[in-house]
Amino acid sequence: MEPLHYTIFCVDMVDSTKSPTDWHRRVARSGMYRALRRAFVRARLPWYLRWRRHLEDRGDGALILISAAVPSARALKALPHLARELAAHNATTNTGAHIRLRVALHAGEVTHDPYGVLGKAVDDTFRLLDAPEFKAQVRENDAVLHVIISDAFYTGIVRQGGPQNDPGAYRPLMASVRQERPARAWTRSFPEPRLRMRVTGRSAPPRVFGAVAVGVTALSLLTLVPGESRPMFCSDPPVQLRVRVSAEKAGVVQTLAQEFERIRHHKETGCRMVDINVVTASNAGGIEESVRQGWLMRGPAQMSVERTAAASAQTTGGEVSDEADVWLPDSSLEVEQVREVLRAQRIGTVTLDVKGSIARSRLVLGVPSTMADKLKLPGGGVVPWEEMLKWPEQGYLFGRASPRTSSTGLAATAALYGAVLGRDVLNEDTLSGTDAATRLHAVEQAIARDDDEPERLLCAVRTSPAGSDLHDRTAVLVSQKALVDYRAGDSLGGRCPLPAGAEQPELLTFAIREGTPLFDHPYVVINRTPQASPERRRVIDQLYRFLRSGDAQDQFRYAGFSTVTDWNPPLDTPPVDLAGKIHYGPLLEAWDRVRKSADVLMAVDVSAAMDVPFPEADGTRLAAAENAIALSRRLMGARDRIALWTFARDLDGDRDHRSVVPLGPPDRAQTDRLNKVRLDLGGRGTVLYGPVRDAVRELRRSGGGQGREDSDAPTKALIVIADGTDDGDDDQVLADRLRADLLDGSPVRLYVLAFHSGGCANGLDRIAQAGGGACYPIDDMTAMRKALDGVAAGLWGKPRRST
């Protein structure tokens, strides 16, 4: 295999052989892994994402490789967390199970093979860890954590990262690495905090969270002072709870979880009674893929292994799976999605119990200040949907997260679609109509950004250059909390820190009148068969009450959420709970269809056959074709492209077609070109095969369009408005030649609007359907409008079933 670049994190226990019994060693080893896990999670390092983290056990130590996709500086952020976790472990166990760690950090190329990993970078890291000079330094200092890093890591990561990496705290060390000459390295120690163990009796204890702290304020604050004995050995492991939380709430929930753990200590022994592991949720790939990752339920292969491990876990407190006990999504919309997945897969061993909300937030509109000024938006901060949906006509755009990977994106999409269609309920019927396809496509074409997550969307806004569409002309649909973080200069989940002194585009907050989606932030208990132990269920209930307590709600408010009982007065328009009103399968299928761009080439027959009288449209087929061109422009979105050809036999010298308007987006310039077109009769007769063949080839050569990725290539469509005959071929030969050309190459859909009474019946209908299109007989303008609606439904509506 090709070597991959990793951050290398090597760990070894100090004096582990001095533990008096194997029991003590097992407790210390379990504590080491618990401390590593919790430190990694709190530093946003991948512990559960195993495709970004490789772990090898080394008995009294470990080798951890962190993917290059994760910034190496995060390994530095884990160190103080690790020191605190080691101190907490030592404070609740007896001396024989205490832990001190040596850690070595480096980065380099590593190769995987069937037996594990290998590479010079790994060897160098372990040589640093075992350097005699480093071990001597550890013996002289009783700090709980000792760290050594390579000179390259210090120079490239620590020092280059600036003050936030605290480079001044590291001291140089010349380390002997086996037979090689001494190498320059850098060391740092993290001492164990000095904590008191006495209760004064006269002063109030540190502030604890009210509703859950009843009976807790009188507990001893068990910590240590020099000369006092350690607490007795904790024979009962803490109840472990795994909480899966949305990225938006991760910070505040992590803080509250630590506070909940702090107040849940045994009043006599000081032993920890609860161990909460908070894992940030990611729905990349969609809800179904997220469920398959294992947080909701185990696969059959895991179950047998975990049954064997369960008994050991009960005594050591070790984790046995990646399953979550509590899920804290942003919206009940996600809960309904997961329930749909469970029903579809006929899974009856897992149920979701929603106990209530722990916070509230709403969908808001972040509008650039320059855009708000030009639109003369009201100062009250409220915009009606109908006004907002007219902005694309004035050249303005929207940004929104993907509805497949973000609850905010899902809510924004549902609210947009409901407003456009004037429907409260979005199901297959309301989303698959002909009119729905055209209107939803127009909305999706006005979406400038469709990022996986709201944080990525806001980061793109923050880094956009002045004068760009994203900087000045794009309003973003995000949650109230996300916009609060953006305006406060928050790093947006660590992805997009705002450099000191830098400015970002100003986004003004607007609520949307009527139909503003509600994010109810539910507390979801995941019930499985067999059920959780009574102790764990009791902790689950206690955590719920704690998160709804007054002090915890203050923390949510401080973090930018509304509490379960209030709303921000300036945005006080009634929110709408969309739960129960959305059919997710049809909604996401419609989104996949209508967001697709299209390259459309309209080819109009200008032979003498088009001079036949026609009802309405000034009396001729050719005049009706001009009207069809005008009508078709209304089907096109901002990122589509349209072109116009005319054709007849020998129309342009020895060619049967002429390019009138080249392929381009339907902007003002292209619209002016199409408006100026006046069709004139020409050529020496009717023809069909040659122009269709050339038009198909032209569309295949047109590529994906400016700024489009190959993975998002547009649908190619040819709309032929013609008599429907060819003087040079009989019907069967014409049909065979067209079918062969359409099927030989990349897909191009053929739509034929045939004036000839037998045009579709002569085989054009079968040809068009074979290429994913259709043939429409036209006998009046009503039929013409229906035909163009059918084209729109074919391009962006629900696919027809082949017969």
Side-chain angles (χ1 to χ4, degrees):
M1 291 183 61
E2 291 291 327
L4 301 173
H5 191 85
Y6 288 97
T7 301
I8 304 169
F9 196 107
C10 292
V11 181
D12 189 60
M13 286 191 199
V14 177
D15 295 333
S16 61
T17 57
K18 295 182 179 179
S19 296
T21 67
D22 284 346
W23 188 37
H24 290 86
R25 292 187 184 96
R26 187 176 70 245
V27 172
R29 175 180 157 92
S30 175
M32 179 191 74
Y33 276 110
R34 182 185 301 111
L36 285 168
R37 181 196 70 203
R38 293 166 68 85
F40 268 52
V41 169
R42 286 169 180 163
R44 296 179 59 81
L45 286 169
W47 185 264
Y48 293 97
L49 300 178
R50 292 186 176 127
W51 57 93
R52 289 191 175 180
R53 185 269 296 159
H54 173 85
L55 186 147
E56 290 186 6
D57 178 64
R58 298 296 173 106
D60 59 353
L63 165 64
I64 307 172
L65 303 180
I66 304 165
S67 166
V70 180
S72 296
R74 286 194 195 166
L76 301 171
K77 297 183 184 302
L79 299 175
H81 292 299
L82 181 57
R84 283 193 289 271
E85 289 299 326
L86 295 174
H89 169 88
N90 292 345
T92 55
T93 60
N94 64 13
T95 307
H98 287 176
I99 307 170
R100 295 170 64 219
L101 290 183
R102 290 181 292 120
V103 171
L105 282 174
H106 185 38
E109 303 293 310
V110 179
T111 301
H112 290 257
D113 69 7
Y115 309 103
V117 296
L118 69 154
K120 184 177 183 300
V122 175
D123 294 343
D124 289 345
T125 311
F126 275 107
R127 288 170 183 170
L128 286 174
L129 189 67
D130 294 332
E133 296 84 356
F134 181 45
K135 287 186 174 181
Q137 193 178 89
V138 171
R139 286 193 296 271
E140 295 169 1
N141 186 332
D142 63 355
V144 71
L145 177 63
H146 299 266
V147 180
I148 184 169
I149 61 178
S150 66
D151 188 56
F153 196 92
Y154 178 83
T155 303
I157 304 299
V158 178
R159 195 163 60 195
Q160 291 297 325
Q164 63 181 356
N165 290 336
D166 200 6
Y170 293 83
R171 295 290 178 263
L173 176 74
M174 297 305 294
S176 301
V177 283
R178 295 191 181 177
Q179 302 302 320
E180 300 178 13
R181 64 182 182 181
R184 186 182 181 88
W186 298 82
T187 64
R188 180 179 181 180
S189 298
F190 291 82
E192 183 171 353
R194 288 178 173 271
L195 305 170
R196 292 201 57 82
M197 190 176 176
R198 303 184 188 278
V199 180
T200 64
R202 50 186 168 82
S203 60
R207 179 174 177 267
V208 293
F209 282 57
V212 183
V214 175
V216 176
T217 56
L219 300 183
S220 301
L221 302 180
L222 294 175
T223 52
L224 299 174
V225 295
E228 291 183 325
S229 61
R230 299 276 180 173
M232 68 179 66
F233 180 74
C234 301
S235 58
D236 295 326
V239 175
Q240 292 198 340
L241 209 62
R242 182 175 165 87
V243 178
R244 181 179 172 91
V245 61
S246 66
E248 191 163 277
K249 292 192 295 292
V252 63
V253 170
Q254 184 71 260
T255 299
L256 291 171
Q258 292 177 28
E259 180 65 18
F260 182 70
E261 287 179 342
R262 187 182 69 79
I263 64 177
R264 295 290 298 166
H265 275 70
H266 195 283
K267 64 180 180 180
E268 295 178 356
T269 66
C271 292
R272 183 184 310 177
M273 298 172 63
V274 178
D275 183 6
I276 299 180
N277 181 27
V278 178
V279 179
T280 304
S282 172
N283 289 338
I287 282 289
E288 291 190 34
E289 177 60 29
S290 175
V291 170
R292 280 195 290 269
Q293 292 174 8
W295 66 270
L296 186 63
M297 58 193 169
R298 290 162 288 178
Q302 289 176 287
M303 291 183 182
S304 60
V305 176
E306 289 166 6
R307 289 192 194 102
T308 306
S312 173
Q314 290 174 357
T315 58
T316 64
E319 60 181 301
V320 298
S321 78
D322 286 345
E323 292 178 347
D325 303 292
V326 174
W327 179 30
L328 305 179
D330 290 333
S331 168
S332 291
L333 298 178
E334 296 170 81
V335 181
E336 290 192 5
Q337 278 187 287
V338 172
R339 283 173 172 164
E340 281 194 8
V341 172
L342 296 176
R343 286 193 294 268
Q345 297 182 8
R346 298 182 179 180
I347 297 170
T349 57
V350 178
T351 58
L352 305 180
D353 177 20
V354 179
K355 296 186 72 67
S357 296
I358 59 171
R360 298 283 181 97
S361 60
R362 68 192 311 152
L363 188 75
V364 296
L365 195 63
V367 183
S369 56
T370 53
M371 178 176 166
D373 291 341
K374 291 179 180 178
L375 288 171
K376 297 181 171 59
L377 296 183
V382 179
V383 179
W385 279 107
E386 56 270 22
E387 178 181 334
M388 184 180 126
L389 293 172
K390 294 176 183 177
W391 293 350
E393 298 174 8
Q394 303 173 56
Y396 295 103
L397 302 169
F398 300 116
R400 169 215 56 195
S402 165
R404 281 203 178 276
T405 58
S406 162
S407 60
T408 304
L410 180 66
T413 302
L416 271 172
Y417 287 9
V420 168
L421 301 177
R423 301 297 185 99
D424 292 330
V425 177
L426 297 176
N427 55 28
E428 187 168 355
D429 290 338
T430 58
L431 291 165
S432 59
T434 298
D435 186 51
T438 305
R439 295 168 71 179
L440 297 182
H441 176 68
V443 169
E444 285 297 333
Q445 291 290 291
I447 301 292
R449 297 279 305 196
D450 213 9
D451 296 78
D452 287 346
E453 298 173 346
E455 292 83 4
R456 294 185 187 276
L457 171 63
L458 289 170
C459 184
V461 173
R462 173 174 285 172
T463 57
S464 60
S468 65
D469 282 345
L470 200 56
H471 190 284
D472 296 335
R473 306 180 69 80
T474 301
V476 293
L477 286 157
V478 293
S479 72
Q480 164 189 337
K481 156 69 172 169
L483 199 54
V484 166
D485 288 346
Y486 173 88
R487 297 182 65 177
D490 184 84
S491 65
L492 303 176
R495 293 188 177 93
C496 193
L498 182 64
E503 295 185 359
Q504 61 182 7
E506 182 183 11
L507 293 180
L508 305 181
T509 303
F510 287 84
I512 307 166
R513 181 177 295 124
E514 300 176 359
T516 303
L518 164 71
F519 300 113
D520 56 339
H521 298 280
Y523 186 97
V524 185
V525 181
I526 302 173
N527 298 311
R528 301 181 182 85
T529 303
Q531 293 185 352
S533 66
E535 293 80 7
R536 180 170 293 181
R537 296 183 67 85
R538 184 160 49 248
V539 171
I540 289 172
D541 291 341
Q542 291 169 346
L543 178 61
Y544 171 64
R545 292 195 296 272
F546 169 74
L547 293 176
R548 288 176 61 94
S549 67
D551 289 328
Q553 290 292 294
D554 286 343
Q555 292 291 321
F556 277 112
R557 185 186 290 109
Y558 178 77
F561 297 93
S562 295
T563 70
V564 293
T565 57
D566 67 32
W567 289 103
N568 291 338
L571 302 179
D572 200 11
T573 61
V576 174
D577 187 354
L578 296 175
K581 298 180 179 180
I582 301 173
H583 293 209
Y584 302 99
L587 176 68
L588 294 174
E589 288 174 7
W591 174 73
D592 283 332
R593 294 191 305 266
V594 301
R595 65 193 290 262
K596 192 82 170 177
S597 299
D599 285 350
V600 176
L601 195 160
M602 300 190 68
V604 180
D605 184 356
V606 293
S607 69
M610 296 292 285
D611 199 26
V612 175
F614 184 81
E616 307 173 67
D618 295 333
T620 67
R621 292 175 174 175
L622 197 62
E626 284 189 353
N627 285 347
I629 294 170
L631 291 171
S632 66
R633 290 202 310 273
R634 301 172 189 172
L635 306 178
M636 310 301 289
R639 295 197 301 275
D640 296 323
R641 297 192 297 176
I642 187 171
L644 176 64
W645 282 13
T646 55
F647 68 90
R649 188 171 298 281
D650 299 331
L651 176 64
D652 189 11
D654 59 351
R655 293 197 309 173
D656 294 337
H657 71 271
R658 178 181 294 137
S659 175
V660 180
V661 177
L663 194 66
D667 53 20
R668 183 172 299 177
Q670 188 79 336
T671 299
D672 289 343
R673 295 186 196 101
L674 291 168
N675 286 338
K676 293 176 181 177
V677 170
R678 294 296 178 265
L679 299 178
D680 297 316
L681 297 174
R684 296 189 299 108
T686 60
V687 65
L688 197 59
Y689 170 68
V692 169
R693 175 200 61 205
D694 294 340
V696 167
R697 292 175 180 174
E698 177 67 19
L699 283 167
R700 285 174 176 160
R701 285 194 298 266
S702 65
Q706 186 177 3
R708 297 177 182 175
E709 300 291 338
D710 290 341
S711 60
D712 194 29
T715 301
K716 305 297 181 73
L718 172 61
I719 302 175
V720 177
I721 304 175
D723 171 70
T725 60
D726 190 320
D727 292 341
D729 290 302
D730 62 39
D731 294 338
Q732 187 58 49
V733 172
L734 174 64
D736 291 343
R737 293 175 72 184
L738 283 173
R739 182 181 294 108
D741 205 67
L742 279 170
L743 299 179
D744 183 22
S746 58
V748 175
R749 299 186 186 182
L750 173 63
Y751 297 94
V752 181
L753 282 58
F755 290 106
H756 189 276
S757 58
C760 291
N762 289 341
L764 286 178
D765 54 347
R766 293 191 299 277
I767 299 165
Q769 289 171 13
C775 184
Y776 300 95
I778 305 298
D779 52 18
D780 58 23
M781 285 307 297
T782 299
M784 179 72 79
R785 294 186 184 93
K786 289 182 178 179
L788 291 172
D789 286 343
V791 171
L795 291 174
W796 303 298
K798 187 170 184 179
R800 298 183 176 199
R801 293 183 180 273
S802 56
T803 57

